[in-house]
Amino acid sequence: MIEKIKKRLINKYTLIIALLLSGVFFSCYLAHRHMVSRTIEAALLDYLDEEAWEAQQHLQKSPDITGMHKINSAANAIHNFTYWYANGKFFHAETPSDDDISAELQKRMLANAYQDNKIYSENIKRNHIKWYFLLTSRNLICNGQKVGRVFVLSNVTPLKWSNKQFIYAAVCAILILSALAYLAGHFLAGRAIEQINKFFEKQKTFVSDASHELRTPLSVLLAYTELLERKNDPEIVRRMKEEILEMSRLNSILLELARSDNDQIQMQYESFNLSELAAAVLDNIRQISAGKKLKLSIDAPAATNINADKNLVKRLLYILTDNAVKYTPDGGAVAITIIPGEKTATICIKDTGIGISATDLPHVFERFFRAEKSRNRNTGGLGL
């Protein structure tokens, strides 16, 4: 399940990054294309103004003089071309050097009804090369009458090719960056999923260990119940009660852990004397551990007032002190030290017990973890 989540995260992140890159690249492309197109169109209209004025002057001064000039142009170079049309023929032109392209352009100019000052696109394929033209035209007016028409064109084939190259380069860049994003997402998602996986494994271990801890008292209860069916023995009832109380205690701890994980524990802050509380806890522990003949001592100022949840601090003292007593052999010593601070207080509990090995130290705060690999229940602890 974790691997599926990881793959989904990587795929989603890669897709989002690819879409963002595509949006950035093609937004830049469209903005650049629009800007260049507007510039070329404006220049073409200015060129039309000049050619229309020259054509009118030519018709008024020397209408019989004609001239067709070929421009040595190629598809990969930007050129402007001009055609003057009057009296049923083209009488002046600056045309591409390729006669077939020039003839095709003249044919289209006569066949199509172009509006004045409007930009049109014309494409011509020649020798497996496609030429792209922008065309605009205007009527020639002499003495208030329409006598002909002026056509101007611009070869924008190089711009079309550069646009295609830009799109090709953009697609390649998007694919490469998306691949890098996939690898980066795989690395980052792996780092994130690693923590989730550890937590998930801890949860599975928690459920497994909780089941293990509950299975033992349930098995004991079942055995006692079967014995109770055969004979009514008060000792059996007492032991059943102990196991039920143990299960109840475990259930309470699990419930409290669940509330802690969900941040549902309500802290009840109050001011109290930590030294007095620690002394009271130690007195209770002394009565419980009297048989082990331990030396129990406390070193604390007379009054160490703190503001905290008294019940939780009391439980903490019981857990740590009881743990020290359990793992300290007969005749050993357990000492509690309270060190007051400016706004805090430090609780130090020291014993002469068996201690914890260096290999087990990193796991002491893991739930259900106990240094005894046999999980001996004689000490009564649950590792919680």
Side-chain angles (χ1 to χ4, degrees), residues 273-276 278-279 297-304 336-340 346:
N273 190 329
L274 179 60
S275 298
E276 290 182 357
S297 62
I298 181 170
D299 180 11
T304 305
I336 300 178
T337 303
I338 306 294
I339 305 172
T346 302

Side-chain angles (χ1 to χ4, degrees), residues 12-80:
K12 286 181 179 179
Y13 290 152
T14 304
L15 178 61
I16 290 172
I17 292 174
L19 291 175
L20 289 175
L21 290 173
S22 301
V24 170
F25 275 108
F26 288 107
S27 295
C28 294
Y29 164 73
L30 293 175
H32 178 266
R33 179 180 175 181
H34 178 73
M35 181 178 64
V36 172
S37 298
R38 292 289 299 272
T39 302
I40 292 176
E41 290 174 2
L44 195 60
L45 290 173
D46 289 340
Y47 184 53
L48 177 63
D49 291 337
E50 295 177 4
E51 291 297 317
W53 183 83
E54 290 182 9
Q56 289 175 354
Q57 296 298 314
H58 181 87
L59 287 174
Q60 291 174 358
K61 294 179 180 180
S62 51
D64 296 331
I65 299 176
T66 62
M68 305 293 284
H69 306 285
K70 291 183 179 181
I71 298 176
N72 188 18
S73 60
N76 60 353
I78 295 178
H79 287 285
N80 290 332

Side-chain angles (χ1 to χ4, degrees), residues 276-287:
E276 290 182 357
L277 181 64
V281 168
L282 192 62
D283 286 341
N284 291 334
I285 293 293
R286 183 177 284 109
Q287 296 177 13

